[in-house]
Amino acid sequence: MKLSTRITLYYAIFSALLAAALMVVLYSGTANALKGTMKQQLEAAIADTKYRLVTGNHESYDDHDSDHENDYIDDDLTEDEGISLVVLREDGTVFAATDNGMWLADLAQDDDEIETKYRSRNWYVLQDDLDTEHASYTIRAAATTVYRNEALKDMAQSMAVIGPIYLLIGILGAWLLSRRSLRPVRQITATAGEIAEDTDLSARIPPMPVKDEVGELGDTFNKMMDKLETSFQRERQFTSDASHELRTPVTIISASAEDALREEVPETVGDDLKTIQKESSRMGKIISQLLVLSRGYEGRLHYEPEEMDLHDMAASVAELYGGMAAESGMTIHNEIPEQALAYVDQSLFTEVFLNLIGNAVKYGRKGGNVWARARKEGDTWEIHIVDDGPGISPEDLPHIFERFYRADKARDRSGSGLGLSITKWIVEMHGGKISAQSKLGEETEFIITGVPTPKPTA
Ligand code: ADP
């Protein structure tokens, strides 16, 4: 799962829980507050009635009709406050009541505070006793919970609407925010991916506008790339310097061995001299290949593409290897169509044919064949160099383009393992790609794709 999705998910779960907890607290708080208000109202009504009973003229109670007795109750209770109230004598008979309070007399109430149902409404009932000098009373006051319940229902409904909206806006915000703050990370990943793909060590992450943790990560990554690039440059410089320095002594050794061979020498010395000459010229070849590679990587190699005929290039290389092929009875077939015009650097691309056709002849079987083929693929050429030689084993195949990698060292002593690295580098320099396929004991095929054709002249 993506990090931004995960952050959004965590945020959604967290805010849903938080919102739910908040709503529960808010709802029960409001319910308690509403109940408290109701209780306070009823208590006030009871206290008011008690006050009237205590301060009222008790002597005349019995002379009064029931209406008069109701004077002990505040008339406004019923109309303004919606409170039902009854005052009961000790024997349970009604002493005074509001117009809507008679039902309270029949209530069997043990607790001071109850909730009950009457005429399909819920009521909250509070009762208290009063002992005066002359008599004892029970005062019961009730208020309907309908309004409280309605207020709570309204509140729950609002919450049911607001909750999801809040959650949705929150999730959207979290998603946008996490995407935004992870954008630099995506950039870093993309740049790192580019570097991994093209081994282009000069790629850098664009500087971040904000120097936060992610910005720092980008800077650190760039610093690391600076260091890597410098150390790679140093390594190449070293290779380049070393091969340059080795060139002259090796040439001198080779030339001296050649000179010495012209002299009259005993046979064993002659053999040694031949070995010296052979190995030093091999060393000379390796050194110049190393020089080509390191100069190529440094971009110091001459690269000047021009319109070239692939058929002619292959033909001249085939001619060059003609003698060597004939020695082992091999035939080189140039099947590249005539006038196969490509846009390549002549000397570099000739090196490609030299390496591939050379390898095919060198590693091919006696009496075997080498084919050079090319066909147009859209705007580019696809070149195939095929031989019916012993092939390359699946274990070696993935490594043959590596520097100094040689599949079968015992078979051939003349190679350096650098030819295919150079070939790959040249092909990529031209914007193409090279790959190899092989069936052990049957054939080997090198495929170059994306070789540019000449640009149409405007
Ligand atoms: P080398 O100088 O050894 O030829 P290369 O880089 O040109 O170096 O090739 C690397 C290795 O790949 C060779 O040593 C050889 O084992 C193998 N190879 C290349 N081309 C062929 C081929 N056409 N058939 C068989 N093996 C090959």
Side-chain angles (χ1 to χ4, degrees):
M1 200 192 281
K2 272 192 186 171
L3 186 56
S4 56
T5 319
R6 216 160 53 206
I7 291 176
T8 313
L9 194 74
Y10 289 154
Y11 178 81
I13 294 171
F14 176 75
S15 27
L17 287 177
L18 188 74
L22 263 176
M23 282 179 185
V24 168
V25 168
L26 208 69
Y27 185 87
S28 59
T30 313
N32 277 339
L34 286 174
K35 191 173 175 181
T37 315
M38 228 155 54
K39 192 175 178 181
Q40 270 173 3
Q41 270 182 330
L42 295 183
E43 276 170 351
I46 290 172
D48 181 58
T49 311
K50 274 185 186 174
Y51 178 76
R52 286 162 189 258
L53 285 171
V54 173
T55 55
N57 184 356
H58 183 71
E59 273 359 10
S60 58
Y61 278 173
D62 293 338
D63 306 331
H64 286 304
D65 52 34
S66 63
D67 259 337
H68 194 93
E69 280 170 355
N70 269 348
D71 285 348
Y72 292 99
I73 293 173
D74 181 355
D75 287 335
D76 295 341
L77 281 183
T78 308
E79 274 178 33
D80 293 353
E81 320 221 357
I83 292 174
S84 315
L85 193 137
V86 70
V87 181
L88 300 170
R89 294 192 190 86
E90 216 166 349
D91 60 4
T93 54
V94 174
F95 173 70
T98 56
D99 299 339
N100 56 7
M102 286 306 286
W103 65 276
L104 284 169
D106 305 326
L107 211 62
Q109 184 173 358
D110 297 328
D111 294 330
D112 288 347
E113 188 180 339
I114 59 162
E115 284 205 26
T116 186
K117 223 179 164 88
Y118 172 66
R119 282 197 182 154
S120 71
R121 274 186 174 189
N122 285 321
W123 296 81
Y124 174 59
V125 190
L126 215 61
Q127 83 172 10
D128 206 3
D129 296 331
L130 173 73
D131 298 316
T132 65
E133 278 176 55
H134 314 285
S136 288
Y137 303 99
T138 297
I139 305 153
R140 246 174 229 168
T144 176
T145 59
V146 165
Y147 306 108
R148 179 194 72 174
N149 290 350
E150 247 160 39
L152 287 178
K153 207 169 108 190
D154 282 352
M155 190 170 169
Q157 273 169 353
S158 312
M159 282 174 171
V161 175
I162 293 170
I165 293 178
Y166 157 83
L167 210 64
L168 221 72
I169 293 175
I171 289 172
L172 195 75
W175 185 69
L176 287 176
L177 223 86
S178 62
R179 268 185 69 85
R180 213 188 130 85
S181 36
L182 289 176
R183 193 161 48 195
V185 177
R186 282 200 299 277
Q187 255 166 5
I188 294 175
T189 315
T191 312
E194 261 169 45
I195 294 167
E197 186 113 312
D198 310 344
T199 51
D200 171 17
L201 293 178
S202 65
R204 293 289 179 276
I205 291 150
M208 307 285 156
V210 190
K211 286 285 160 268
D212 53 11
E213 289 89 335
V214 182
E216 250 173 59
L217 175 65
D219 285 353
T220 315
F221 182 88
N222 282 346
K223 268 186 217 145
M224 183 192 79
M225 286 313 298
D226 287 345
K227 276 215 163 145
L228 267 179
E229 198 183 9
T230 334
S231 75
F232 265 77
Q233 256 161 7
R234 265 199 221 118
E235 188 225 78
R236 277 176 201 154
Q237 188 63 45
F238 173 78
T239 317
S240 166
D241 292 349
S243 19
H244 193 81
E245 290 303 318
L246 287 172
R247 224 158 44 155
T248 321
V250 167
T251 317
I252 294 170
I253 293 172
S254 178
S256 305
E258 214 171 318
D259 279 352
L261 268 172
R262 282 195 211 108
E263 308 285 324
E264 199 68 39
V265 286
E267 198 178 321
T268 47
V269 178
D271 286 347
D272 287 346
L273 283 173
K274 274 182 198 145
T275 309
I276 292 173
Q277 207 223 349
K278 195 175 139 217
E279 289 303 309
S280 59
S281 78
R282 184 167 98 89
M283 203 157 146
K285 199 180 155 211
I286 295 176
I287 287 167
S288 56
Q289 279 183 324
L290 265 180
L291 210 59
V292 169
L293 258 186
S294 56
R295 283 194 178 154
Y297 283 132
E298 279 168 19
R300 284 204 287 135
L301 216 61
H302 215 60
Y303 171 68
E304 221 171 74
E306 56 187 315
E307 201 173 292
M308 292 300 305
D309 186 344
L310 294 175
H311 175 88
D312 289 353
M313 288 175 105
S316 59
V317 172
E319 199 183 312
L320 201 75
Y321 281 111
M324 196 175 150
E327 266 173 37
S328 45
M330 292 179 78
T331 322
I332 303 173
H333 310 266
N334 182 5
E335 293 180 357
I336 297 179
E338 279 180 39
Q339 285 294 309
L341 293 182
Y343 191 68
V344 294
D345 181 293
Q346 182 182 10
S347 82
L348 290 179
F349 219 79
T350 304
E351 186 73 25
V352 170
F353 282 116
L354 280 171
N355 281 326
L356 295 181
I357 296 177
N359 277 348
V361 172
K362 200 160 66 173
Y363 301 111
R365 66 176 170 84
K366 276 198 165 58
N369 296 282
V370 182
W371 294 271
R373 296 177 183 136
R375 66 157 185 263
K376 265 252 176 80
E377 278 294 321
D379 283 353
T380 56
W381 284 104
E382 191 174 298
I383 301 170
H384 295 243
I385 307 291
V386 190
D387 68 72
D388 54 3
I392 305 167
S393 74
E395 298 88 66
D396 290 322
L397 199 60
H399 303 290
I400 53 168
F401 292 103
E402 288 167 15
R403 277 182 287 175
F404 293 113
Y405 192 89
R406 294 171 60 214
D408 192 350
K409 295 174 184 78
R411 195 162 23 147
D412 178 83
R413 291 269 299 122
S414 68
S416 65
L418 285 172
L420 287 180
S421 316
I422 293 177
T423 304
K424 183 172 189 280
W425 176 79
I426 295 173
V427 168
E428 284 172 0
M429 179 104 178
H430 285 81
K433 280 203 157 38
I434 182 166
S435 60
Q437 297 171 353
S438 185
K439 278 195 211 101
L440 211 55
E442 283 181 38
E443 61 159 32
T444 304
E445 179 169 17
F446 284 87
I447 304 147
I448 303 172
T449 56
V451 179
T453 46
K455 290 186 186 73
T457 38

